[in-house]
Amino acid sequence: MNILIYFFIGLLAAIVGALPLGTTNVAVINTTIKENIKNALKIVYTAALAEIILVLIAISFNMQIENFVNMNVWLQYTIAFILLSVGIILLLGRKECVKDENDECIIIKKRYNISKQMLGFILGLVNPTVLIYWILVISFINKKMLFLDLNVSYLLLGVFLIGVFIGKTITLYGYGRFSNLLKVKIKNITTRINRVIGVLLICVSLFQFTKLFYY
């Protein structure tokens, strides 16, 4: 029974984390439309593998990171400033790119030519937002649901990570499968969603600044 619980929690957490439209999702959408789903899957699998690495980092250093942030006010200001900066950038939009007929960024100018597998791994691994998401999720799971750290049995940890891999994979695959519908029905979808995310990040950063100033 515990095995199924760990698996489904990993599966659902990965699906929820992968639903917001990020760089990996956009890469899968564009690759599917411009090439095919087979090439898009090369990005999907390596991005899911990178997600497992981020989860292991979150599990290993969850308490240390949380305590370190709480004990260092300057770091809290830094995080709030980074959130504000990223929010403003997303809100204003990305200009240095080549766009397709739906006004979507296909490639960023001066892009390096790398393999699909490497692209998926880099986009999945170099993703601070996803790492923060998993730190919060792991903290919540430990406090409210079940015990999850490196001291848990290898079987339960392995089952949880398998759930994460499958959840990430099926969500990105779903984006690939419905990419034509997403791009044709909603023009300029990435810019719109990026602006929504930008506004949310700005609100979070302003809330964080307010909390630091008055508490």
Side-chain angles (χ1 to χ4, degrees):
M1 186 64 182
N2 273 348
I3 293 177
L4 290 176
I5 292 173
Y6 275 81
F7 172 79
F8 281 110
I9 288 178
L11 180 75
L12 292 175
I15 290 174
V16 171
L19 281 177
L21 198 64
T23 53
T24 307
N25 309 60
V26 173
V28 170
I29 290 172
N30 281 328
T31 300
T32 303
I33 291 175
K34 303 304 176 184
E35 298 176 35
N36 52 59
I37 189 66
K38 182 178 179 180
N39 284 336
L41 284 173
K42 296 176 183 178
I43 298 175
V44 170
Y45 293 138
T46 51
L49 180 61
E51 188 97 353
I52 290 179
I53 296 175
L54 292 182
V55 172
L56 287 173
I57 293 173
I59 292 174
S60 302
F61 303 105
N62 174 54
M63 290 305 299
Q64 293 93 322
I65 294 173
E66 192 173 341
N67 291 334
F68 182 76
V69 171
N70 290 334
M71 292 174 61
N72 293 272
V73 178
W74 66 269
L75 186 58
Q76 297 179 48
Y77 276 104
T78 301
I79 292 173
F81 179 75
I82 291 173
L83 291 175
L84 180 63
S85 301
V86 173
I88 292 173
I89 292 172
L90 289 175
L91 184 61
L92 294 178
R94 188 174 59 181
K95 302 183 184 303
E96 293 300 315
C97 65
V98 177
K99 296 187 177 183
D100 63 8
E101 66 279 1
N102 289 315
D103 203 27
E104 296 288 348
C105 288
I106 307 170
I107 56 172
I108 300 173
K109 292 179 181 180
K110 299 180 181 178
R111 184 181 120 189
Y112 294 100
N113 187 23
I114 59 175
S115 67
K116 292 290 187 297
Q117 291 89 340
M118 184 59 67
L119 177 63
F121 188 78
I122 292 173
L123 291 177
L125 187 63
V126 186
N127 200 328
T129 305
V130 174
L131 178 58
I132 293 171
Y133 167 78
W134 278 111
I135 290 173
L136 295 174
V137 167
I138 299 301
S139 177
F140 176 80
I141 290 174
N142 275 318
K143 291 176 182 177
K144 304 292 185 179
M145 302 179 73
L146 46 81
F147 178 68
L148 182 62
D149 67 14
L150 294 182
N151 294 319
V152 74
S153 73
Y154 290 133
L155 176 60
L156 293 178
L157 180 60
V159 167
F160 179 81
L161 294 176
I162 290 172
V164 170
F165 182 88
I166 294 176
K168 182 77 171 183
T169 299
I170 62 176
T171 306
L172 291 179
Y173 178 76
Y175 268 105
R177 269 298 180 199
F178 293 101
S179 57
N180 283 302
L181 179 64
L182 286 171
K183 297 266 281 192
V184 172
K185 296 294 183 182
I186 308 177
K187 298 279 187 177
N188 205 14
I189 183 174
T190 53
T191 300
R192 293 185 183 185
I193 293 182
N194 281 343
R195 285 175 179 168
V196 172
I197 295 172
V199 171
L200 292 176
L201 288 177
I202 291 172
C203 291
V204 171
S205 66
L206 293 177
F207 174 78
Q208 183 67 16
F209 277 124
T210 303
K211 188 171 70 171
L212 290 169
F213 284 142
Y214 293 102
Y215 290 94

